[in-house]
Amino acid sequence: MSARQGRRGARRRRRGTRLRARWLRGALPLAVVVSLLALGWLHDNADRPLVWLGLALAATAAPAVLVWWVRGRIRLAGDRRVVARTDLSAVDRMTGVRFEEYVASLLRSHGYTRVTVVGGSFDGGADLRAQTPDGRPLVVQCKRWRRPVPPNEVRAFLGVLAGTHRGYLGMFVASDGFTEAAAWEAGDEMVLVGREELALWMSGTRPPELPRPSSHHPR
């Protein structure tokens, strides 16, 4: 990591800390007001059994919700540390063809079989084909770009999944991620692997999460 990148990262962390502190300062008065309103409402409805039943159920569910929330925050913090430590500079220097080969090697190392590099001028929108660890056919599109992938590229890959590769799972791997519009366009029709997901995959922390098998994905 260069000194300039280090300074930028430090500035981003300081900015994030300031934003969190500002949010907490603004949220505290609101929490006090909401608590006072809730206490007043309870006082006015203390003679209603259903109110206390609801409170009992909420008190029972609260610990489970809290544990779920804490686990999610711990996982998110761990992911951020892994992403910050993972050096993607070698990926950023790769050619498109080398990037396809690299993604193919990641697939093989995580249990995918029959991995084939198809890319080229006549690849029909399919850079890689493989079989998932649970036996489903997969087609992969790879973009080693210096900008996020726009929605028209996602739409083109959706066309591939609806046409020449109907019945395949779709995975789109982009070294610089996707625009918000592109992620919205993809919906649940494919697995998007952006820059952070790629870093987690490369580090061995977590490979891309595939959708569960369904009737329209043949085994």
Side-chain angles (χ1 to χ4, degrees), residues 148-195:
V149 170
N152 62 297
E153 295 290 339
V154 171
R155 284 194 293 270
F157 192 44
L158 286 172
V160 171
L161 295 174
T164 56
H165 288 76
R166 189 175 185 83
Y168 281 68
L169 287 174
M171 181 185 291
F172 203 138
V173 185
S175 64
D176 206 27
F178 302 85
T179 65
E180 288 186 12
W184 183 87
E185 191 79 37
D188 297 325
E189 299 300 316
M190 66 181 74
V191 179
L192 296 183
V193 181
R195 194 168 182 85

Side-chain angles (χ1 to χ4, degrees), residues 25-200:
R25 286 195 299 271
L28 184 58
L30 179 61
V32 171
V33 171
V34 170
S35 300
L36 290 173
L37 289 173
L39 288 172
W41 183 84
L42 284 173
H43 181 269
D44 294 340
N45 294 273
D47 57 341
R48 298 183 181 180
L50 288 178
V51 170
W52 296 105
L53 177 61
L55 288 174
L57 292 174
T60 303
V65 172
L66 180 61
V67 169
W68 171 83
W69 183 83
V70 169
R71 284 179 177 174
R73 299 299 296 178
I74 292 173
R75 174 174 169 171
L76 181 61
D79 287 353
R80 286 174 177 167
R81 286 194 295 271
V82 171
V83 170
R85 289 197 305 263
T86 303
D87 185 6
L88 293 172
S89 59
V91 168
D92 293 335
R93 292 192 298 270
M94 291 179 183
T95 64
V97 173
R98 179 69 189 92
F99 185 58
E100 292 169 8
E101 294 170 347
Y102 181 65
V103 174
S105 70
L106 286 174
L107 290 169
R108 293 187 186 99
S109 64
H110 285 85
Y112 291 76
T113 56
R114 301 181 184 177
V115 180
T116 306
V117 179
V118 186
S121 353
F122 304 101
D123 62 10
D127 292 326
L128 308 172
R129 292 193 194 97
Q131 190 173 68
T132 66
D134 60 6
R136 290 176 285 169
L138 176 78
V139 59
V140 185
Q141 176 69 256
C142 302
K143 294 294 183 189
R144 216 297 297 152
W145 286 1
R146 290 187 175 89
R147 65 183 189 279
V149 170
N152 62 297
E153 295 290 339
V154 171
R155 284 194 293 270
F157 192 44
L158 286 172
V160 171
L161 295 174
T164 56
H165 288 76
R166 189 175 185 83
Y168 281 68
L169 287 174
M171 181 185 291
F172 203 138
V173 185
S175 64
D176 206 27
F178 302 85
T179 65
E180 288 186 12
W184 183 87
E185 191 79 37
D188 297 325
E189 299 300 316
M190 66 181 74
V191 179
L192 296 183
V193 181
R195 194 168 182 85
E196 291 188 0
E197 293 82 7
L198 181 60
L200 292 170

Side-chain angles (χ1 to χ4, degrees), residues 1-15 18:
M1 180 182 291
S2 68
R4 180 178 297 177
Q5 289 173 324
R7 288 193 296 272
R8 286 177 180 171
R11 283 197 296 270
R12 282 196 295 268
R13 288 191 291 272
R14 287 195 296 271
R15 190 181 306 121
R18 287 196 298 269

Side-chain angles (χ1 to χ4, degrees), residues 17-31:
T17 301
R18 287 196 298 269
L19 288 173
R20 286 191 293 272
R22 191 179 306 163
W23 183 87
L24 287 171
R25 286 195 299 271
L28 184 58
L30 179 61

